[in-house]
Amino acid sequence: MSGVGTESNDPMPSPPEEQQATTGTKEEQQRDKDGEDLHQRKEDSKGEGERSDCVSGQNWEPKTDYQNPTVSQVHTATKMTLLPKQKSPHVKTNALTLEWAFGMNRALPVFNLQDQDQLVILYGGTNVAVMYDQTSNSQHVLQGHSSPISCLCVSEDRRWLVTADRGQESLVIIWDSFSGIPVRTLFDSHPEGGVAALALSKDSKYLVTVGAGNIQRVCIWDWTNETEDPLCVTELNPEYGFQKHILFNPNDITQLLSNSESQVLFYTRDKQHLDYIAPDLLDKTFNKVVGMLSQSVFHWRGLQALSATSAGNLVLWDMVRASSNSRPLIRRAIKLIPLQKDGITVLTLTDSFIVTGDTLGHVKFYDENFKLISWYSEFNLDPITSISFSKEVPPNSSQGFLEDCTLEAKMFVIRNFVLSTVSSTVVHVNTQGGVPQTLLREHCEALHAVACHPQQPVVAMGSHSGILKVWDYERKVSICSRVFEKERHIQCIAYDPQGFYLAVGFASGSVHVLDACTLLSEAEERFNYSQDCITHMTFSPDSLYLATADAGRAVMVFCLYTGKSMQRWKYLGRHHSHYKPIRDLLFGVYLDSTQTRLLSLGMDRRLVEYDLQNSNEDELLILSSERIEQSAVPTCMAWYPPLTTEDFLLTASDLYKMKLFNSTTKMCRKTLLGPTYGSPVEKMAILPFYKDHGPSAHYMVYITKDKVGVQILPVDGNPHKSSALICHPTGVSAMACSYDGRYVFTAGGSDCTVLSWEISLNALEAAASLGGKELIPFYSLLEGGRDGKLVREMEDYFYYCQLRSQGIDSMEMRQVSTRIPLAEVPFVMRALGFFPTEQELEDMQNEVKFSRYAESGRYVTDIDLEEFIKLYVNHRPAFGISSKELLHTFQVLGDPYVMGEPVVNKDELLELLKDRGEHMTENELAECFTTLLGLNPEGGSPELGAFECDDAEDLLESEIPEEISMETFASDILGFPIYIKEILHSSHEGMLSPSGSEVV
């Protein structure tokens, strides 16, 4: 439990600014006083790109005092600064702003920050830390990490908060709790894997961090100084186990201790050196079972230390002589105290008491002689994970005194405290009244399900712990909840369009239809027709149908039947309609009709439509099944809003493309470049109409692997019309939009958290405007920009195509224009290095040919340069061909590794090219290979004729080696400067990513 340690609660020295003012130089005083400016300078050094919202997820809004810019808000802040004030309208500068965090990370400790005029606690969730004011029911969210927060700690006076994460670019951020401002950031403090534990010294001047790598490093930082490097560093021997808990000696900042489950380490700092010892602690040390170590603390006497174990024991450490003749003292375990029967999970100190929390949820207080003074066992809690005492001492009144459990019944005072449990419950205990108050009761297992009510400010969320909870997201209060004891694992939920029903899908395959108000259901409306996990769930627009998709690649449909006195949901049918996982499920209505239609989209690249009208009980019929992609894998779909006279279905794929399909003919009418924020769009939804929207304005929200974003419609490939930021670093599992389009909610799955994001469409529109109009945003996507070589080549090819169309040998006056025939588009695309398939070429030509057909009834037969640039940008691969993709191809098609790399047999490759996919003739193969090998002096087929080769088969046999290695194919045939050894090594080490691979 990182950061949970000694809490002596003695009066704290002044904050670091005031400490330095009395002991340091003038330069140090000014440096520490301007902690906020220091953080700003560090951010500036990182560059604008690294401060953008789509990289770090932090909505950066500089904190300055506009009345007096030279005054630091950190220096002038008080504990009342963050109190919620009267909301005043202000301009949002970000398209998405984190408004509330539902849920918490139960593995992190919870700290009591304030416990007098107001009750404020600190806890972590996903990649944010939350300061929750229970008195006013408000949150202040600390954003800055792009990876999950791995540990927290607070200073003795609760002024300074420290958060750290585990990730490739791990951060340690020190925050001012009064103003909520980050005052110092340590970049890449532990590049070996992030931070596993940290702690502040009693005077708050020093910070110690423990790395999370295979070989852990312990670093001590003087964080009030501008130095980038730690004061001292030491590496730990892996045989001592993974050290997950560390703290300073409150009486001597040169002394520290840490522990793993099997070993306690004691550290001594001497100027720039940090040494440690690992005293023995085995069962044979005391001839008793010691148990696994949980936490350790220094005794308030200074020299002694205590360690708690899972067997309910307490290990007492002291400084003793190694022998009667030796002078130096060594650290040794001198006593094993069987403190209690149940395992101790938390060990801390407060005033002159030793405090433990155990696996039964009990809190016990012991004196310095380990005598039980008092305990709290009536709370009915799960195992305790952290205990944090108030820094305020209770009023000195005899009415608030407690009696200990000794025969003398002596009076004593205990500070109020906050505790957390493994079930994500946080309880505040007022020791004077002895009354516990539950502050939080959150989901403690994976949370994959979230849905918004269609007419009210209500959001429902369900988790694998079996808890279904409904919140009023405007008042931030829980309305109702239900616990499913039998099914437990809730996987997805959905409201019907009228808000009467709430459907729940379970990992067991069960489906329950609940009353949306009471969360109760009739026995007849609990269905068990599938044994596979329910992955998708949706209602029809008229609320008469409910469809689900499961992990067994099947679709189930339920129908609402109306009887004489009541309505009842009944099972209609199930169809195994896909041979790969289903990615999306969508209801709609037919064009110029109110008849309901249902479609499913699978990773098998098939779009399946179901015949609901002719389906009978226990028989779900398929109306059509069409393949809509060649190589890309579709990820999601949505009905495109009425921006044109045609009715479109919008799909997204894993190649960062979006496509518009005619809803009736299923013809691909447009291909567009989608958001490119590190991973493809996983789910999307059209934002409901909001009163602040323009009459013709439409927007879309979407999620990728770890981000949430907003997109301005219509989609046209303009990258500035989209904005995204990190929401759940471990992965987003679900998304829901509020009924009024003001909020979007994201569920993080394994992080047990749902985040509420407020949408600012004005900020999104402003960002899009700054990106430029017409072709300016598209020029930025071309190598070299508007004045680059690629644009010049496009212009040259356009003129050359006009010469071709008018005849190369013609002596007539040339007619120069800005347009070329549509038939020339494939040649220009190939000349630019983009080699589309025949299907992709057909999609391009259809896109241009039918672009004005719905309005004018006429085909378009030519294209100008501006339209061609947009067509090229939207159709070409988003990231080129990566070396990882080439290696994967050889691994799939080739034989086992030969001489360290995969190879493909020539005959097998030629047969595949001729028989699979878009078939190629021998002449076409000969033309391609002779051109690639440089054997064709014409550089391909003649300009005005077809390629002719009488000995195509002999040419292929003689020029292509029998065994084609990846290096041969890449360097000799394709002419790419690729290095196979580095690629193979990177692949084995897992270093290549879809968007980060070397582009060949």
Side-chain angles (χ1 to χ4, degrees), residues 234-407:
T234 189
E235 288 190 355
L236 304 182
N237 192 330
E239 71 179 17
Y240 296 138
F242 188 81
Q243 302 291 310
K244 59 180 180 180
H245 172 80
I246 194 167
L247 52 81
F248 283 92
N249 188 335
N251 300 305
D252 183 357
I253 59 175
T254 64
Q255 303 290 321
L256 304 92
L257 68 76
S258 70
N259 73 261
S260 64
E261 291 185 349
S262 59
Q263 183 68 60
V264 179
L265 303 180
F266 293 89
Y267 306 80
T268 302
R269 180 170 68 90
D270 182 14
K271 296 182 179 179
Q272 304 300 317
H273 300 283
L274 182 64
D275 301 315
Y276 70 91
I277 60 171
D280 292 336
L281 179 61
L282 303 171
D283 289 347
K284 63 181 181 180
T285 304
F286 300 103
N287 293 321
K288 293 181 180 179
V289 175
V290 176
M292 291 186 297
L293 300 171
S294 54
Q295 292 184 355
S296 302
V297 296
F298 281 102
H299 198 279
W300 55 79
R301 291 174 179 168
L303 294 179
Q304 293 182 331
L306 304 170
S307 296
T309 77
S310 60
N313 297 320
L314 209 60
V315 181
L316 179 61
W317 304 87
D318 206 349
M319 302 295 292
V320 298
R321 297 186 188 279
S323 65
S324 58
N325 298 326
S326 62
R327 293 179 60 85
L329 299 176
I330 63 171
R331 182 76 64 173
R332 179 177 293 174
I334 64 170
K335 196 170 185 179
L336 183 67
I337 305 169
L339 204 62
Q340 58 186 65
K341 294 181 180 180
D342 306 301
I344 300 174
T345 55
V346 177
L347 176 65
T348 186
L349 305 178
T350 179
D351 299 320
S352 59
F353 299 107
I354 301 167
V355 187
T356 65
D358 59 35
T359 56
L360 292 183
H362 300 169
V363 179
K364 298 179 180 179
F365 294 80
Y366 300 86
D367 65 9
E368 60 181 0
N369 297 315
F370 309 108
K371 291 181 179 179
L372 183 62
I373 299 300
S374 183
W375 70 89
Y376 292 89
S377 60
E378 66 277 7
F379 297 161
N380 296 320
L381 299 175
D382 293 315
I384 294 173
T385 55
S386 70
I387 301 174
S388 178
F389 287 88
S390 170
K391 66 176 181 178
E392 290 97 1
V393 181
N396 190 13
S397 169
S398 60
Q399 294 180 354
F401 288 175
L402 302 176
E403 294 182 353
D404 65 23
C405 58
T406 62
L407 294 176

Side-chain angles (χ1 to χ4, degrees), residues 765-792:
E765 292 283 1
S769 299
L770 292 174
K773 297 181 179 180
E774 298 177 348
L775 274 186
I776 294 177
F778 296 91
Y779 283 131
S780 65
L781 297 175
L782 299 175
E783 293 78 0
R786 183 172 187 173
D787 301 320
K789 181 180 177 181
L790 186 58
V791 175
R792 301 282 82 81

Side-chain angles (χ1 to χ4, degrees), residues 30-42:
Q30 183 63 36
R31 184 169 57 222
D32 295 332
K33 185 179 295 184
D34 295 335
E36 178 187 1
D37 298 331
L38 168 63
H39 183 80
Q40 181 68 43
R41 289 197 298 274
K42 289 193 71 60

Side-chain angles (χ1 to χ4, degrees), residues 103-105 125-127 446-447 727-731 747-754:
M104 60 180 290
N105 184 347
T126 185
N127 62 328
L447 200 166
C727 54
H728 300 274
T730 56
S750 60
D751 65 18
C752 307
T753 305
V754 168

Side-chain angles (χ1 to χ4, degrees), residues 455-471:
Q455 299 173 10
Q456 299 174 10
V458 169
V459 60
M461 52 194 77
S463 68
H464 280 193
S465 58
I467 299 175
L468 178 63
K469 205 169 186 178
V470 180
W471 289 81

Side-chain angles (χ1 to χ4, degrees), residues 93 712 718 720-721 762-773 776-777:
T93 58
I712 300 175
N718 181 352
H720 301 290
K721 293 174 68 173
N762 290 333
L764 182 64
E765 292 283 1
S769 299
L770 292 174
K773 297 181 179 180
I776 294 177

Side-chain angles (χ1 to χ4, degrees), residues 100-106 108-113 120-134 137-142 149 151-152 154 161 163 386 418 420 424 426 439-442 471 753:
W100 195 269
F102 299 90
M104 60 180 290
N105 184 347
R106 59 176 178 166
L108 296 178
V110 177
F111 292 100
N112 188 334
L113 297 182
V120 182
I121 61 173
L122 172 73
Y123 58 92
T126 185
N127 62 328
V128 300
V130 179
M131 296 172 61
Y132 173 59
D133 185 346
Q134 189 274 339
N137 192 28
S138 61
Q139 287 185 355
H140 182 82
V141 183
L142 305 179
I149 292 179
C151 43
L152 299 169
V154 300
L161 320 175
T163 59
S386 70
V418 168
S420 62
S424 297
V426 179
L439 305 182
L440 299 173
R441 182 176 281 112
E442 302 293 352
W471 289 81
T753 305

